[in-house]
Amino acid sequence: MFISMEPSPLTDKIDRWFGDLLDGLRAYPFDFPGTASHGARKSRRKLDAIFREELEARKKVDRQCDDLMGGLMQMKDEQGKKLSNEEVVDNIVSLVIAGYESTTIAIMWAVYHLAKSPVVLAKLREENIAMSKSKGGSTSTSLMITHTDIPKMKYTAKVVEETIRMANIAPMVHRVANRDVEYRGYTIPKGWAVLVWLRSLHTDPNYYEDPLSFNPNRWDEPAKAGTYQVFGGGPRVCAGNMLARLQVTIILHHLCVGYEWELLNPDAEINYLPHPRPADGAAMAFCKLST
Ligand code: HEM
């Protein structure tokens, strides 16, 4: 998908290097052997080398592939200028981390919460089966949903939003104070790095009643201004936020119309860094829904 590689021992290594990179992203930035940050930098260099080698090989024989690297190689700005090698590689690494891991985790949490919330799942299934039938599908056969169907799936949208709130996939964002800022009697001096702890916003009972319960109905009303920043905010707000919502919606449609599932370890411990996920990776058993 990213560079059209078949699964191999090398792709396993690439997976591990991306894992190291993620570990370092949310760790203290201490760059000496044994730290997560040091490991992340080493793995980043290995990823760069692999992607650069592939890029140069493609350029040498003018090979065009229908994958992310191929798309980035073709991109031009308004002046017709293409991306440099470094920009192609940086974009691949960023998109895997920002756009692939994040959505995968959102989908995992959606399925996790639904497994624990049969009433919500039943309501979600009802809406999605009705949508499927209206398009000529049967109770257990989902059809392709399109951009005209999605705005009609009001309950599904609430399930997606509640999943993303609860998941806190990006528990914090990084900022630098561009002026002295007074906050609750403290001064944050200009130039200081700041961690904005988004997770605490989304789990604050002042803003979300019973914040740790999975309750899509809370989205009957929009969140209070400034209290919902799952995709960050300002000019650097997540570039893929609508795509992420779309991906979770589509996969939930197909899963809830066609399948049922259960968590194998519903009480598994949750790890919060670098991304929140159950310690067992959310092991589940799926089976096709009987008609
Ligand atoms: C549920 C899934 C996702 C979550 C929770 C998420 C969250 C975030 C957050 C919190 C930021 C930082 C924003 C800030 O600093 O204010 C961000 C940045 C970004 N995200 Fe996402 N994201 C998701 C999916 C995606 C997808 C699917 C893509 C693209 C395919 C994507 C691309 C990006 C990019 C390119 C940035 C950097 C934007 C910039 O610095 O200008 N994200 N995301």
Side-chain angles (χ1 to χ4, degrees):
M1 185 172 154
F2 302 106
I3 56 169
S4 301
M5 269 187 175
E6 291 299 323
S8 68
L10 178 60
T11 54
D12 291 344
K13 277 189 192 165
I14 292 178
D15 260 358
R16 275 205 305 281
W17 293 333
F18 271 115
D20 295 344
L21 195 52
L22 264 175
D23 286 345
L25 201 67
R26 301 212 166 108
Y28 285 104
F30 299 139
D31 186 12
F32 52 84
T35 63
S37 184
H38 185 76
R41 284 163 209 258
K42 258 172 60 183
S43 292
R44 172 68 209 251
R45 286 194 289 274
K46 290 179 191 160
L47 289 167
D48 275 8
I50 294 285
F51 293 140
R52 215 168 244 273
E53 193 182 314
E54 172 69 15
L55 181 60
E56 278 159 13
R58 287 186 187 192
K59 282 193 166 172
K60 207 177 272 172
V61 293
D62 198 18
R63 182 156 50 98
Q64 304 201 355
C65 298
D66 188 16
D67 55 21
L68 178 62
M69 181 176 273
L72 290 167
M73 287 170 73
Q74 295 309 314
M75 270 177 64
K76 289 182 187 155
D77 66 14
E78 296 79 11
Q79 281 79 44
K81 193 169 157 256
K82 288 192 168 181
L83 297 180
S84 67
N85 285 1
E86 193 182 357
E87 285 167 333
V88 171
V89 170
D90 279 356
N91 270 291
I92 293 176
V93 175
S94 311
L95 279 174
V96 173
I97 297 280
Y100 173 70
E101 282 285 338
S102 54
T103 321
T104 319
I105 291 175
I107 292 166
M108 176 205 74
W109 279 114
V111 178
Y112 174 98
H113 288 302
L114 289 167
K116 289 191 162 196
S117 319
V119 175
V120 176
L121 177 57
K123 217 169 152 187
L124 180 76
R125 192 168 272 146
E126 192 185 326
E127 178 172 90
N128 280 270
I129 288 180
M131 171 58 71
S132 183
K133 279 185 174 169
S134 75
K135 295 167 68 73
S138 68
T139 38
S140 62
T141 317
S142 54
L143 297 178
M144 289 293 183
I145 45 172
T146 65
H147 68 284
T148 53
D149 302 324
I150 286 174
K152 297 178 199 154
M153 297 159 67
K154 306 270 186 231
Y155 190 70
T156 309
K158 292 179 203 170
V159 171
V160 171
E161 227 52 68
E162 181 66 346
T163 297
I164 298 176
R165 178 191 73 85
M166 292 275 289
N168 283 298
I169 296 157
M172 80 287 250
V173 288
H174 302 264
R175 291 290 187 267
V176 174
N178 59 9
R179 57 179 169 81
D180 286 356
V181 178
E182 294 300 323
Y183 184 72
R184 295 191 178 177
Y186 294 92
T187 305
I188 304 171
K190 180 177 173 182
W192 273 37
V194 179
L195 267 188
V196 186
W197 204 260
L198 301 178
R199 185 170 200 280
S200 73
L201 265 183
H202 308 135
T203 53
D204 187 333
N206 292 314
Y207 306 136
Y208 298 95
E209 196 187 322
D210 194 6
L212 300 183
S213 74
F214 181 70
N215 173 16
N217 290 335
R218 72 172 80 247
W219 295 98
D220 292 346
E221 299 294 328
K224 286 186 201 146
T227 64
Y228 187 56
Q229 299 198 26
V230 283
F231 292 107
R236 306 313 296 258
V237 70
C238 172
N241 73 81
M242 294 312 288
L243 176 64
R245 289 176 163 114
L246 195 63
Q247 288 174 312
V248 181
T249 304
I250 292 171
I251 193 127
L252 281 186
H253 173 71
H254 293 289
L255 285 179
C256 76
V257 171
Y259 298 87
E260 54 191 342
W261 60 92
E262 63 175 329
L263 286 162
L264 299 186
N265 304 303
D267 300 320
E269 203 183 313
I270 310 293
N271 295 329
Y272 287 93
L273 286 172
H275 276 145
R277 63 176 118 216
D280 70 338
M284 293 179 216
F286 280 78
C287 63
K288 271 195 160 288
L289 259 184
S290 45
T291 44

